[in-house]
Amino acid sequence: MSTLPTGLFIASGALILYFVIGRWYKSGGSDLESIPRAPGGHWLWGHERDALIKPNGSFYTENFEKCGAPVFAMKGGFFSGDILAIRDPAAITHIFTRHPYDYHKSAFIRPLVERLLGRSLPWAEGDEHKRQRVALAPVFTHESIKRMEPEVRHASDTLVHLIAETINSNSSTKTGDNTIEIDPLTWTCRATLQIIGSVGFGQDFEMGGSDDAKGILAAVHEVVELGMTPAGFIAPLVLRAFPFITDLPVKAIQAHGKAKTILRRLAAVKVEEKRRMNDDKDVGGKDFLSMLLKMQDVYNVELNQILDQLAMFTLVGHDTTAYGISFALYNLAHNKPAQDRLRNELLAFHSSEPTYDDFSNRLPMLEAVTKESLRIFPPTMHTERVALKDDILPLRNPIRDPRTGEEVHSLAIKRGQTIHISHMALHRDKSVWGEDASEFKPERWLSTLPGNDGGDESTVHSLPPPTGSTRGWSGLFSFIEGPRLCIGVRLALFQYKVMLADLIKNFEFLPVEGPDGLIETVFSVTNQPYVIGKKSEGVKLPLRVRCLH
């Protein structure tokens, strides 16, 4: 009996020693002692729990401001060593554009990505990532996306019809101003799933009404809701310390694979159908699956990987775009002048149906709203990378060594150093975007904009210089940058703009009055909204809406 406590004592001591030695090794020879540090930190969770549970990425924003620097050190959980948080554009470009394959995802993240998205592009690293990127590039050219326009428009038109039908059939719930309360996420997720299913592999999800669509949406919802629970916040800390746990049959971990399983099954059926109808060398169709099958021999792509890529396209493509559109509607509901300006631009357009090229460069207010909304609410809240070797990170904005007062222009880091990049802290950096960095102001993307009274044009807030922001799309980190830039960004932006334009032309969106209409966001797979003070009720983005026709 007495050997059990002794054994536990020895095992605990060995575990603590392991973490202490690991922490010492990671810090030895690095410059983390020469940069500001976040104050406090729990003895077990470090700063990581606060980073995960504080809304709107505020942990990072607050500590960048407290430290007065574009970098700071934070305590890792479970004695895992210090984490380097950065928002310096030169350091970010060094990691993601100049040396992208010297920095990989954490050991515990890759198995979770594989479970959720298979061995697809987001999972791949190094040469495998290069190979997959080259093989997939032809699928996402301008010409390829243009050919998908009918599917995008059909889903958008159907979305407008369904919302109008819902408003008209719920007259008993209308308020005095003829509005009803909706959650746009319910609708946009169905529409984007329909689009990705159609252009991905010719699958009709019946605007979210088919059994398979319901299964996919329910599986994604389950993963998100689990991630928002207290256990969901603690899980990443535990998994970082004990990555082998990802292989255990734990419900929260196993749930990640449900949607992928459904999509792989559907895609496999489509493959067989295409091969029965067409010669293997001449697979018909313009969807992703058809194009991938045509390139299978050219790039030596296995069928399993094609199925994984389709599952990834569907899950990532529908979810992030739907949330982006919904956040834009929320922003516009709380900024009536911007919503009115956008509607006027769309209704005044010389053609009733803008083309793909028109959406790209002939609707400046729509472009400004898109960029500003993705700045305020990026699809994901933060990105994590681990250095594969010792390196020197350049700093565009020098810092002061808190010990000596000397100016520091670069940071030496050790192999195994964990690095956090907060998208929201980047996008809401007052030193870059101004004192109104946390406010939704689409006019900042326009050199001039008509005054509120419709009179003379007035000069507005200018954009930061290129050196002040990242090298991502439009100087934002919403789609990452470098070889890791979202490969489907063209399709994402096209369907985003088409649906947003159709919704604003046909409906007016208004905020829900009082505290029940205000949201915060927290990270769970992607950036998730909830009503302030009601996180336990789960994902929610309440708005009021009324028909304009």
Side-chain angles (χ1 to χ4, degrees):
M1 294 292 291
S2 61
T3 59
L4 183 58
T6 302
L8 287 174
F9 178 79
I10 294 172
S12 300
L15 189 61
I16 292 172
L17 184 62
Y18 167 79
F19 282 123
V20 169
I21 292 174
R23 181 171 182 171
W24 171 81
Y25 173 77
K26 287 182 182 179
S27 63
S30 75
D31 285 340
L32 261 62
E33 296 301 322
S34 68
I35 68 174
R37 304 181 68 81
H42 190 272
W43 70 272
L44 182 60
W45 311 127
H47 289 106
E48 289 195 80
R49 187 172 181 273
D50 283 348
L52 288 167
I53 67 174
K54 282 195 170 184
N56 303 329
S58 58
F59 167 81
Y60 295 99
T61 303
E62 291 168 2
N63 278 287
F64 280 124
E65 291 179 1
K66 285 178 184 176
C67 294
V71 297
F72 68 85
M74 54 186 277
K75 293 179 182 177
F78 281 94
F79 316 103
S80 59
D82 288 337
I83 294 170
L84 174 63
I86 63 173
R87 71 176 181 189
D88 184 272
I92 290 170
T93 294
H94 179 90
I95 293 169
F96 287 90
T97 299
R98 293 179 178 163
H99 302 277
Y101 300 115
D102 291 339
Y103 295 85
H104 284 191
K105 299 177 186 69
S106 297
F108 81 91
I109 290 179
R110 283 196 82 200
L112 293 179
V113 171
E114 181 179 1
R115 194 178 298 278
L116 182 64
L117 305 174
R119 296 195 169 195
S120 57
L121 192 62
W123 167 87
E125 298 285 4
D127 290 341
E128 175 64 17
H129 181 268
K130 294 177 187 177
R131 187 183 67 81
Q132 288 194 29
R133 185 99 187 180
V134 169
L136 293 172
V139 178
F140 293 99
T141 62
H142 280 293
E143 292 306 313
S144 294
I145 305 305
K146 283 183 180 181
R147 290 196 295 269
M148 299 167 190
E149 184 172 345
E151 287 84 358
V152 175
R153 290 194 179 279
H154 174 71
S156 186
D157 291 343
T158 305
L159 175 64
V160 169
H161 172 74
L162 290 174
I163 294 178
E165 191 177 64
T166 299
I167 294 172
N168 293 329
S169 63
N170 283 271
S171 56
S172 61
T173 63
K174 287 182 182 177
T175 61
D177 58 1
N178 289 318
T179 66
I180 66 168
E181 185 174 323
I182 67 167
D183 185 337
L185 285 169
T186 304
W187 300 96
T188 56
C189 283
R190 292 162 61 182
T192 54
L193 182 62
Q194 177 67 27
I195 292 171
I196 300 298
S198 298
V199 304
F201 51 107
Q203 180 70 34
D204 182 4
F205 283 119
E206 300 173 18
M207 286 295 288
S210 71
D211 289 341
D212 288 318
K214 292 175 182 176
I216 292 166
L217 293 172
V220 172
H221 181 75
E222 180 183 2
V223 172
V224 167
E225 292 291 337
L226 284 169
M228 293 179 69
T229 63
F233 291 123
I234 294 172
L237 281 65
V238 177
L239 291 172
R240 187 196 307 286
F242 310 102
F244 65 85
I245 293 176
T246 56
D247 295 325
L248 298 180
V250 179
K251 179 184 177 183
I253 296 171
Q254 298 298 323
H256 283 70
K258 290 182 180 179
K260 182 188 73 174
T261 300
I262 296 172
L263 287 163
R264 280 179 57 93
R265 171 176 55 79
L266 294 174
V269 171
K270 291 293 184 180
V271 169
E272 289 306 312
E273 288 178 0
K274 288 180 179 293
R275 286 181 170 168
R276 282 199 305 269
M277 295 171 60
N278 304 278
D279 182 87
D280 282 356
K281 303 298 182 183
D282 186 27
V283 179
K286 61 181 181 179
D287 53 55
F288 292 165
L289 176 57
S290 298
M291 288 187 275
L292 288 171
L293 289 174
K294 289 175 183 177
M295 296 183 291
Q296 190 173 8
D297 291 338
V298 177
Y299 294 104
N300 192 29
V301 180
E302 296 180 356
L303 179 59
N304 264 335
Q305 189 173 102
I306 290 177
L307 299 180
D308 280 347
Q309 301 292 10
L310 287 168
M312 179 271 292
F313 293 152
T314 308
L315 291 171
V316 174
H318 100 270
D319 190 61
T320 55
T321 305
Y323 276 72
I325 296 167
S326 299
F327 280 129
L329 294 174
Y330 175 85
N331 287 326
L332 290 168
H334 287 263
N335 188 329
K336 189 177 185 300
Q339 185 177 168
D340 290 343
R341 290 188 189 110
L342 175 57
R343 185 177 295 110
N344 290 338
E345 175 182 89
L346 295 167
L347 294 176
F349 191 71
H350 62 80
S351 169
S352 59
E353 293 293 342
T355 65
Y356 174 87
D357 291 327
D358 292 331
F359 277 112
S360 297
N361 53 37
R362 296 192 184 100
L363 292 163
M365 187 60 186
L366 178 60
E367 186 75 11
V369 167
T370 299
K371 290 175 179 178
E372 182 70 351
S373 194
L374 287 170
R375 184 187 71 83
I376 292 290
F377 291 114
T380 190
M381 195 167 286
H382 81 270
T383 296
E384 180 176 301
R385 287 293 183 268
V386 175
L388 296 185
K389 63 180 184 179
D390 296 358
D391 201 2
I392 304 292
L393 293 180
L395 297 176
R396 183 166 296 155
N397 303 300
I399 63 174
R400 292 284 177 184
D401 187 327
R403 301 166 304 178
T404 65
E406 293 181 359
E407 199 170 70
V408 177
H409 293 264
S410 63
L411 295 177
I413 60 170
K414 292 286 288 182
R415 175 179 177 270
Q417 177 63 57
T418 299
I419 300 168
H420 281 188
I421 302 95
S422 170
H423 299 218
M424 296 190 82
L426 265 172
H427 291 177
R428 300 186 182 199
D429 183 355
K430 292 180 180 179
S431 69
V432 174
W433 298 96
E435 288 300 313
D436 59 359
S438 296
E439 300 175 36
F440 174 74
K441 291 188 174 181
E443 58 267 29
R444 76 176 75 244
W445 297 91
L446 305 170
S447 57
T448 57
L449 193 72
N452 292 339
D453 59 357
D456 295 337
E457 292 188 339
S458 55
T459 303
V460 298
H461 186 101
S462 60
L463 290 174
T467 55
S469 55
T470 74
R471 292 190 180 182
W473 170 79
S474 297
L476 300 174
F477 207 61
S478 302
F479 301 102
I480 314 294
E481 69 167 81
R484 287 287 183 182
L485 180 82
C486 173
I487 198 169
V489 61
R490 291 190 182 105
L491 176 59
L493 291 172
F494 181 51
Q495 58 179 323
Y496 181 113
K497 292 176 182 178
V498 169
M499 281 193 277
L500 182 58
D502 283 346
L503 290 169
I504 293 300
K505 283 191 294 184
N506 288 279
F507 306 103
E508 181 179 9
F509 293 88
L510 301 98
V512 170
E513 299 297 334
D516 285 345
L518 300 176
I519 65 163
E520 293 176 330
T521 63
V522 69
F523 182 72
S524 179
V525 183
T526 53
N527 213 358
Q528 304 295 333
Y530 62 89
V531 175
I532 295 176
K534 297 184 177 181
K535 187 189 295 184
S536 60
E537 295 181 8
V539 177
K540 193 174 292 185
L541 205 163
L543 294 177
R544 291 184 297 137
V545 61
R546 65 168 161 238
C547 286
L548 293 175
H549 308 294

